[in-house]
Amino acid sequence: MSYQGKVVFVAGGTSGINLGIAEAFARAGARVAVLSRKADKVEAAITHLRSLTPDVLGFSADVRDYDAVAAALADTAAQWGPIDVVISGAAGNFMAPAINLSANAFKSVVDIDLLGTFNVLRASWEHLRKPGAAVINITAGQSWLPTPMQIHVCAAKAGVDQITRTLALEWGPAGVRVNSIAPGPISGTEGMARLAPTEASEKAWTDSVPLKRFGTKADISRAALWLCSDEASYITGVILPVDGGFTLWGSGAIAHATQQ
Ligand code: HXC
Ligand code: NAP
């Protein structure tokens, strides 16, 4: 699938699943900008992505800081022109029962995942290619499955998916599509290191996936490339699970897996 010359902006694109998505767009010929907080991660991602495509930008910024996010998007558009694809994937997660969460702990995750997604999308609007742009928010099964020790993530990702649906309505008339991808457990990621820290918990997650394996970063990036392409041009406002069927079990499986 070719994205030759297209402009792609990935918030949270310096590690894990989102870096995998940035890599896939770079391999497909896109010009790719990534943003995250830590300058060393941004530098490493730039170096890596430049081995795949010549046009790479990196920004060290916090998605909770609207002005910093807006400056990065404006800089990207100033250098390369209208933005074709925006991925909003910055997120924070840790396991904690609600009674052990301070108000600030809850707020931190909601601010990164939900306010951060609003900031990225709101600031991108004036720079999007209209018509034709595609936006993907990276969500999680917790957005619709109540999950013990994940109240902060459940609340934040549910909000992210309502952003997806609401902006699909508001931005559809301008020819901008807005969708979510909900990855299942993905191997070799910070997210699963936090959610499945022991062999027993990893086995519980694997056993609960109908396809009997963790997903790969490539499983997610392939879905993202397709969803942003003309092949998916009539799809908007959708929450697409890419999870081996994991969430079909309902909240029982995810509750079991997170409590091992
Ligand atoms: C309880 C905790 C905690 C824990 C932090 N806090 N860890 N509370 N249990 N394990 C509390 C702190 O005490 C503090 O509250 C508040 O959270 C903010 O902590 P800071 O460290 O100051 O916040 P910050 O530097 O903004 O870091 C945010 C973070 C951190 C979320 C806490 O872990 C982070 O930067 N994460 C980014 C990487 C990441 O999480 N990747 C995984 C994404 S995976 P007080 O009251 O003390 O001030 C994902 C997928 C899930 O989202 C789905 C899988 C299926
Ligand atoms: P990850 O490697 O920790 O990715 C998170 C990215 O977001 C990093 O680049 C991180 O870089 C950045 N980030 C975090 N807080 C930020 C902030 N405040 N401002 C700007 N950037 C920030 O985690 P991952 O496991 O690959 O998860 C990626 C996405 O997939 C997340 O949206 C997550 O919810 C979702 N997801 C993951 C899984 C899984 O199995 N891993 C399952 C379902 C959903 P910095 O630290 O430099 O900021």
Side-chain angles (χ1 to χ4, degrees):
M1 195 167 279
S2 175
Y3 277 87
Q4 200 64 43
K6 300 276 188 189
V7 177
V8 176
F9 187 97
V10 187
T14 62
S15 62
I17 290 171
N18 306 319
L19 178 59
I21 292 172
E23 282 173 14
F25 277 108
R27 283 184 213 282
R31 293 177 282 186
V32 178
V34 293
L35 175 150
S36 83
R37 291 167 301 178
K38 296 175 187 148
D40 56 333
K41 283 179 71 174
V42 174
E43 279 312 311
I46 291 174
T47 303
H48 174 59
L49 291 168
R50 285 218 174 110
S51 69
L52 306 172
T53 188
D55 295 319
V56 178
L57 291 172
F59 301 95
S60 180
D62 194 312
V63 291
R64 293 168 282 193
D65 178 348
Y66 182 86
D67 291 344
V69 169
L73 283 150
D75 195 355
T76 302
Q79 296 199 46
W80 293 340
I83 299 174
D84 297 284
V85 171
V86 172
I87 310 287
S88 175
N93 193 6
F94 47 80
M95 304 263 276
I99 56 167
N100 289 354
L101 275 184
S102 66
N104 189 45
F106 183 87
K107 182 177 184 299
S108 296
V109 170
V110 170
D111 280 358
I112 298 168
D113 295 23
L114 179 54
L115 177 63
T117 294
F118 173 79
N119 286 345
V120 170
L121 272 52
R122 172 68 186 83
S124 74
W125 168 252
E126 68 179 287
H127 306 296
L128 291 176
R129 184 180 302 285
K130 299 182 272 291
V135 174
I136 293 182
N137 297 321
I138 306 299
T139 182
Q142 287 94 324
S143 80
W144 67 98
L145 299 177
T147 308
M149 293 191 280
Q150 291 277 272
I151 191 171
H152 41 326
V153 176
C154 291
K157 293 294 196 183
V160 167
D161 288 347
Q162 284 298 65
I163 285 181
T164 295
R165 297 185 184 99
T166 302
L167 288 187
L169 291 176
E170 291 194 7
W171 293 3
V176 175
R177 298 185 297 114
V178 186
N179 292 293
S180 285
I181 287 179
I186 303 302
S187 61
T189 60
E190 182 62 28
M192 287 320 292
R194 291 174 184 225
L195 264 68
T198 65
E199 253 180 54
S201 58
E202 200 173 314
K203 184 173 182 312
W205 280 91
T206 310
D207 287 347
S208 302
V209 177
L211 292 180
K212 296 297 169 199
R213 66 169 176 89
F214 272 31
T216 64
K217 292 167 204 166
D219 287 324
I220 305 303
S221 61
R222 279 194 296 264
L225 258 63
W226 171 77
L227 197 50
C228 292
S229 76
D230 285 346
E231 302 293 314
S233 63
Y234 205 48
I235 299 176
T236 195
V238 157
I239 316 303
L240 177 67
V242 183
D243 67 356
F246 178 69
T247 49
L248 292 174
W249 289 117
S251 58
I254 197 167
H256 173 70
T258 48
Q259 287 180 311
Q260 290 309 298

